[in-house]
Amino acid sequence: MQEKDIEKLAELAKIRIKPGEAGAFAHDFESILGYIKSIESVDIGEVSPEYAVKNVMREDVSANESGANSEVLLAAAPATHEGFVKVNKIL
Amino acid sequence: MDLENLTIGAVQESFKNGEFTALELTRAYIENIKAKNPDINAFLEIFADAEDQAKRADEMIARGEIKSLTGIPVALKDNILFSGHRAGASSKILERYVASYDSTVVQKLRDEGAVIIGRTNMDEFAMGSSTETSAYGVTKNPIDTARVAGGSSGGAAAAVAMNGVIFSLGSDTGGSIRQPAAFCGVVGLKPTYGTISRHGLMAMGSSLDIIGPITNSVADSEIVFNTLAYSDAMDSTSIPDNKRISKKTTVKRIGVPRSFLSGEGIGVETLANFEKSLETLKSLGYEIIDVEVPFIEYSLAVYYILMPAETSTNLARFDGIRFGLSVAGATTAEAYKNTKEAGFGAEVKRRILLGTYVLSHGYYDAYYNKAIKMRAKITEELDRVFEKVDLIVTPTCPTPAFRPGEKKDPLQMYLSDIFTVPANIAGIPAISIPNGMSSEGLPLDIQFMAPHFGEKLLFEVGKNYEKNKK
């Protein structure tokens, strides 16, 4: 794990790394990854299907009455315009 | 009014007998918080409507409408939403955020007539074991203010230990209720995953998070759990009430995972005290059996893959667009970066980056997929062990409360969760109970783990142990 790897991850996560911070994170990652790497070599054999994780889904129907929460949610938004959340131009 | 070690049952008796009112009790607690909080830093805010809530509780009591938590002062960890009140997960990114709805637990507390006194300090977004990552300073341990209160629910545990409330609600992703409860000498319960609704709890590791009580006694832990544990349609991982079945009815055999206890960094005094506890348990008639759990030792490694992976996904919502801090930028990407730079502390960034790494192309199979399989294996292994024993016992923490700044290396901080993490990985319930004092006058602890939905077993043994411990 090197500084340029940290910088690449930071770009993916849209996080800005301050000068000098990449080196410190790279150092931390070396010890953390060294620790979690211990699972790589463990032979666990087969896992019983009953212990496999599964997604929990519900029908894609409206959970709330339309507009019921609009006012309070818009009030929490940093910028709004005529009942919409205002964002930077994307295209 | 003597606030020392008040319990829910005793207080409600006093309400019924007219010894004091919920308002008088609330005022006494607020006065105590105001006196002690400048030193402890457990509370971030005392809610302005606390006395109004107490007056409503007194009206309920006057009508004879006493529910299990009516008039009981409670504090919330800063990541649990209470409509119209500030909630910030002790992060600058939510500095001015006001909750737009009630979490399911708060809705229930209000129905019960509990008095929600305030919100308490925590590690930023629950990422830490000492509250040192909070944007609002560390919470000191009320037993010894030179030590940390633990974390991430450090403020919630200290709030109970300093007699600021009768109980508090924290959240536990890898030990965040049990470890601070242990450090502060109070009782902390991490319930079975999916028993108490996560609706309105700010997500950290969604497959690991659970809300639970921090209390002065095991009996109070049981009252709060029984009140808050029910199926909730607003939480997709909430378990239907009819599937919450424990096969066991009572505890006879308790397992000790010997090899797990011989790892590095476990204090000599902690181990000696633990051995003494096993003798106490034997004298109470429990059979103590050594058990082999080879995979459980990998729990912390599995945790530090799954938790950052889920964290990096969950925290992507803090983008400065819909709520919370927003710092403008020339482009959308710049605005994201500006907002996160101003809003997130180092530990949050570290875990987002770590999560991004384990989920990235080329590493996904080696880390995330392997960890998912290991998690299934650990859960299966614990189920097998619970065929032989009814509970598993360990210390809660490898050492008593440490000093602020003592654990500078992130991995050393992570290792303080070694005994608590397995219960989150497997989704089983676990309780931490005070267990005497160290030679330095710091609380020691004991943790019991039960099979899924075995909270009743934890309360049974917990109450017995609490009464008879030496």
Side-chain angles (χ1 to χ4, degrees), chain B residues 336-355:
Chain B
Y336 286 161
K337 287 180 186 173
N338 292 345
T339 298
K340 292 178 192 199
E341 182 174 32
F344 284 151
E347 181 62 19
V348 173
K349 287 186 198 166
R350 187 179 292 119
R351 294 199 196 186
I352 291 173
L353 293 175
L354 189 58

Side-chain angles (χ1 to χ4, degrees), chain B residues 17-47:
Chain B
N17 299 336
E19 287 164 43
F20 50 77
T21 64
L23 182 59
E24 285 166 344
L25 182 65
T26 298
R27 283 179 174 159
Y29 274 120
I30 291 175
E31 204 177 304
N32 195 37
I33 294 166
K34 284 181 175 165
K36 289 182 179 168
N37 203 54
D39 285 338
I40 307 290
N41 194 32
F43 284 82
L44 296 174
E45 181 182 0
I46 299 171
F47 291 138

Side-chain angles (χ1 to χ4, degrees), chain B residues 92-139:
Chain B
K92 291 279 179 201
I93 212 159
L94 286 172
E95 182 128 272
R96 277 184 288 278
Y97 178 70
V98 173
S100 49
Y101 65 97
D102 271 342
S103 53
T104 296
V105 290
V106 162
Q107 185 63 57
K108 182 66 175 174
L109 290 175
R110 293 173 72 183
D111 289 348
E112 290 278 314
V115 180
I116 306 172
I117 281 196
R119 60 191 174 93
T120 56
N121 195 27
M122 56 186 279
D123 282 289
E124 184 178 7
F125 284 105
M127 297 179 197
S129 306
S130 63
T131 70
E132 286 171 282
T133 72
S134 167
Y136 305 102
V138 64
T139 296

Side-chain angles (χ1 to χ4, degrees), chain B residues 67-88:
Chain B
K67 300 182 185 180
S68 57
L69 299 176
T70 307
I72 302 298
V74 49
L76 302 176
K77 188 176 181 177
D78 195 31
N79 58 357
I80 298 173
L81 302 192
F82 180 8
S83 183
H85 297 70
R86 286 266 299 102

Side-chain angles (χ1 to χ4, degrees), chain B residues 208-220:
Chain B
L208 303 151
D209 298 341
I210 182 81
I211 291 174
I214 296 171
T215 56
N216 279 315
S217 71
V218 177
D220 278 3

